[in-house]
Amino acid sequence: VRLVESGGGLVQPGGSLRLSCAASGYTYNMPCMGWFRQAPGKEREGVATLKWDGTTSYADSVKGRFTISQDKAKRTLYLQMNILKADDTAMYYCAADPRWVGCQRTNYRYWGQGTQVTVSS
């Protein structure tokens, strides 16, 4: 399984970015997919997850601002990020897990290389 993120960059506070994650190397429906982030000196944290049935979950810090979605035909996962804040600055990772258990966890099996998001004026 290969996950390749794109779409990161430098944005001013209040701005928007859309991250993409192109997935390949599997033919089944991946039960869990998600976006995670890690800021310097901090632990990796979950940002948003998408369950196979379409159920989504978000960290409290991004609720109402971020939206996770998927284009199954293109095997691409997205994270639309609006009203960005300095605290959103981090390396963002796409992840996927083939296990049929809850998706709100961080021990996913497959990870992308990450894309940097920097929110600064």
Side-chain angles (χ1 to χ4, degrees):
V1 175
R2 186 173 184 226
L3 304 171
V4 180
E5 303 98 332
S6 60
L10 173 64
V11 62
Q12 292 186 343
S16 298
L17 279 176
R18 188 177 81 156
L19 305 183
S20 299
C21 171
S24 61
Y26 63 96
T27 58
Y28 49 88
N29 285 327
M30 191 68 74
C32 299
M33 296 198 74
W35 288 97
F36 300 80
R37 67 186 181 187
Q38 187 167 20
K42 295 186 177 181
E43 292 186 356
R44 186 174 295 183
E45 63 173 351
V47 175
T49 62
L50 176 63
K51 194 176 175 182
W52 66 275
D53 63 357
T55 304
T56 58
S57 65
Y58 297 91
D60 288 342
S61 60
V62 307
K63 280 181 181 176
R65 300 188 298 122
F66 290 12
T67 303
I68 187 171
S69 63
Q70 184 180 41
D71 185 328
K72 289 187 176 181
K74 295 182 178 180
R75 287 189 177 270
T76 302
L77 185 72
Y78 301 101
L79 184 68
Q80 178 67 43
M81 305 186 294
N82 299 326
I83 317 175
L84 282 160
K85 306 175 182 179
D87 287 348
D88 296 318
T89 296
M91 184 70 79
Y92 283 70
Y93 298 91
C94 171
D97 197 277
R99 293 169 289 184
W100 293 91
V101 295
C103 296
Q104 297 183 51
R105 49 187 169 83
T106 58
N107 62 336
Y108 278 38
R109 183 167 295 175
Y110 305 112
W111 294 84
Q113 82 289 349
T115 185
Q116 178 68 37
V117 172
T118 302
V119 184
S120 175
S121 55

